[in-house]
Amino acid sequence: MLDFTLENLSAADVERLRAIYEPLAQSVRELIDATVRTEVDAEAVAAAKAEIDSATARLQSKQLDGTYGVRYLSTGERMAWGNVVIGARNPIAPPLEIQHDPSGKVWCDFHLGAAYEGPPGHVHGGVAALVLDHVLGEAASDGVNPRFTGTITLRYVRATRLGRLHAEAITTRVDGVKTFAAGHLADDEGVTVEAQGVFIQPRWARGK
């Protein structure tokens, strides 16, 4: 049992939670990849399934009613650990670790393996869109006022190879509650997908 609540967490609480749950998510990421690529025999698959089912039941013995949502530290910092792109507790997430450049650019280097395949050996186009939607949204937001996707346009320059990738974006202009951002996804041979988007500050974050 945790000896603290999951609201208004301190930095120390967050690190304790990270040490508990982040390794679990990473192990499940590796399990997903192994499931896609394994060639063991039927007996080994059956044994692995039984072990996985047992572990799943153990984790389900006490769980949240609904999704993880966003938790807040006592400092006001957000924990989006269930997020499908950056979530430390979400094994579907690569996860991206977004970096912020003093110039206003945001960027990340990350790896996509077999679980994200579309065309053989290449990233699914929808996954590329997912990544760029998030990265452009990070660029459009200022860390205090969230801005959500209004529209996003993608140009697929060529297929994106699975493996090490780079994504970056920057705000291009602001018009009232609308923020415009542009960016791209690249592999080791250069840009593969270009993106432009409009991000809207929600009504509840606009104040009066």
Side-chain angles (χ1 to χ4, degrees):
M1 296 289 291
L2 299 175
D3 58 0
F4 52 89
T5 66
L6 294 179
E7 303 299 333
N8 296 315
L9 298 165
S10 69
D13 292 336
V14 171
E15 289 311 306
R16 290 165 67 189
L17 286 171
R18 189 183 294 277
I20 294 169
Y21 294 113
E22 196 169 45
L24 172 63
Q26 180 57 34
S27 290
V28 179
R29 287 186 192 102
E30 294 173 9
L31 174 62
I32 292 170
D33 184 82
T35 300
V36 173
R37 299 193 294 132
T38 188
E39 293 188 333
V40 298
D41 62 23
E43 183 178 354
V45 169
K49 180 183 180 303
E51 293 167 358
I52 292 166
D53 290 346
S54 175
T56 299
R58 188 176 303 119
L59 294 173
Q60 289 175 332
S61 65
K62 187 176 189 300
Q63 62 182 15
L64 296 169
D65 181 16
T67 64
Y68 189 84
V70 178
R71 307 300 173 90
Y72 291 89
L73 280 66
S74 54
T75 59
E77 184 181 349
R78 299 190 312 152
M79 286 172 52
W81 283 8
N83 185 282
V84 72
V85 180
I86 61 171
R89 288 187 59 168
N90 190 337
I92 299 173
L96 270 60
E97 296 182 7
I98 307 294
Q99 308 297 318
H100 293 260
D101 189 278
S103 69
K105 181 178 75 175
V106 302
W107 59 274
C108 57
D109 293 312
F110 58 102
H111 182 275
L112 293 181
Y116 304 96
E117 186 176 52
H122 294 82
V123 178
H124 191 290
V127 174
L130 175 73
V131 168
L132 284 168
D133 177 78
H134 190 94
V135 174
L136 266 67
E138 286 277 353
S141 301
D142 57 13
V144 177
N145 298 306
R147 292 176 176 85
F148 300 143
T149 312
T151 60
I152 187 167
T153 302
L154 302 166
R155 176 175 176 266
Y156 291 85
V157 180
R158 60 180 175 81
T160 305
R161 293 193 304 184
L162 291 169
R164 294 297 302 174
L165 301 171
H166 173 87
E168 63 180 67
I170 193 165
T171 294
T172 56
R173 67 185 176 96
V174 178
D175 182 6
V177 299
K178 297 180 180 180
T179 299
F180 297 76
H184 65 258
L185 178 66
D187 59 20
D188 59 3
E189 294 184 352
V191 173
T192 60
V193 186
E194 298 172 340
Q196 295 183 345
V198 182
F199 295 81
I200 313 296
Q201 187 176 19
R203 291 184 182 278
W204 54 262
R206 298 176 192 176
K208 295 183 178 179

